[in-house]
Amino acid sequence: MDHFLYRDGALYAEDVAISEIAAAVGTPFYVYSTATLLRHFHLFDDALDGMEHLVCYAMKANSNQAVLQTLAQAGAGMDVVSGGEYRRARAAGVPGERIVFSGVGKTRDEIRLALEGGIRQFNVESEPEMAILDAVAQELGVVAPITVRVNPDVDAKTHAKIATGKSENKFGIPIARAREVYAMAAAMPGLDVIGIDVHIGSQLTDLAPFEQAYLKVAELTETLRADGHRITRLDLGGGLGIPYERSNADPPLPSDYGALVQRTLGHLGCEIEIEPGRLIAGNAGLMVSEVIYVKSGEGRDFLILDGAMNDLIRPAMYEAYHDIIPVIEPAPGVAPEPIDIVGPVCESGDTFAKQRNMPPLVAGDLVAFRSAGAYGAVMSSEYNSRPLIPEVLVKEDQFAVIRARPTFDEMINRDTIPEWL
Ligand SMILES: *Cc1c(COP(=O)(O)O)cnc(C)c1O
């Protein structure tokens, strides 16, 4: 459920009309709902009630400082995957002991940053990383708390570009080698082995792969404990999917997910961490765009928008589906017609939808892309020299620009000219 609903035929974000925001900031733009962000965070937090736990928002989904502060003030920890994200989390007021550091390629500088600034744990993904982490920790005279990310070799049945838990993926160490790797880690004086980490992919719309993975983690916990390791924390990753297509939506609920965690892992007495990104931020955001032209083509028509693949790359990159709805609700009885919805960028890939049924629209009308709050603004670029689009946060009847659109001069002046020119 989200807080983007029609009122008297006009689309609102909470108590603010989308058209009012468009008039204030211009199109295209992203808009996020505070109530939806918090609702999704609390759904997860409540689903794990009864187990000691921390929900660490995977901030790569949407790392705007205002979004982070909204979630941090509600009690969220953060899952970070770079030094930049670590700095963003700290800047949003998140203490080190609520920050988990994930990612396959942590550099020495990033490791040092987190060890000096404070960290809940590193999720270590390889033996070379373990050795560097041990070395840097010893240089600094500290001990780094770690889990090892194991790859359980389960098929997450999601898009190939966001599956991470098969043995051919670059993530984690094969679960079959876990005992050997944990023994190596335990022998390193700079490391404190405290748990196990697993993350099998993103946009999973079925709980079965989670169950397979968590049963393997439960078994591994017992094995490692028998080997003498003190396993007290299980990081279960993120990845619960969202209903991008409302018409056939039947996603797993956080409460069902919580029950699955309890059933498969509850008996171990471990502290549980989860790292949802998409499910917290995805349906908490829209991208709003204006129709520039309606173009008639050979056998098909095109709705040409002022938003493009540089603003929202998911359709081009993952063949992702987004519901696209008019900001002014069509009158009852108006028949929708199929149309291709595209942006102005000079690539055929800049196509948001093909032969999508839409009510008749004309130049100047506004449309909203649903489920654009995660992996939207964070993946945007200035390709075709289109300045980054603004982000707006709504809370009840208030809205604020939380990242302004750069001016053309700001965009151009980021480049510098060498002396020889
Ligand atoms: C991307 C990622 C997540 C979040 O995935 P979502 O699908 O957005 O929930 C969590 N943990 C790790 C390690 C990730 O790489």
Side-chain angles (χ1 to χ4, degrees), residues 147-304:
T147 70
V148 176
R149 178 168 176 180
V150 295
N151 185 326
D153 194 22
V154 302
D155 183 354
K157 298 198 172 60
T158 184
H159 190 280
K161 283 188 188 159
I162 48 177
T164 58
K166 284 284 284 170
S167 53
E168 72 248 33
N169 297 127
K170 68 180 176 183
F171 300 97
I173 58 131
I175 198 160
R177 293 200 42 239
R179 292 179 74 184
E180 182 192 332
V181 174
Y182 272 82
M184 283 172 54
M188 294 181 170
L191 305 185
D192 180 20
V193 181
I194 58 167
I196 303 172
D197 171 46
V198 68
H199 170 74
I200 56 175
S202 209
Q203 185 53 11
L204 273 69
T205 50
D206 178 4
L207 288 179
F210 287 115
E211 175 151 24
Q212 285 171 34
Y214 296 169
L215 288 172
K216 290 189 180 190
V217 168
E219 193 187 322
L220 180 63
T221 304
E222 314 260 22
T223 307
L224 293 176
R225 282 178 172 169
D227 286 350
H229 301 286
R230 192 174 54 86
I231 303 296
T232 59
R233 187 178 289 170
L234 301 177
D235 183 327
L236 304 178
L240 206 56
I242 62 171
Y244 280 98
E245 204 162 348
R246 296 296 158 111
S247 45
N248 63 2
D250 188 20
L253 300 172
S255 53
D256 295 338
Y257 173 83
L260 167 71
V261 171
Q262 179 73 257
R263 187 168 76 245
T264 51
L265 300 163
H267 62 286
L268 296 166
C270 287
E271 182 182 8
I272 301 292
E273 280 167 5
I274 55 168
E275 306 162 348
R278 188 187 312 268
L279 204 138
I280 288 181
N283 284 337
L286 305 177
M287 184 180 81
V288 178
S289 185
E290 186 176 301
V291 176
I292 311 178
Y293 298 113
V294 184
K295 174 178 169 180
S296 298
E298 198 78 38
R300 61 174 65 205
D301 294 340
F302 297 92
L303 204 55
I304 302 175

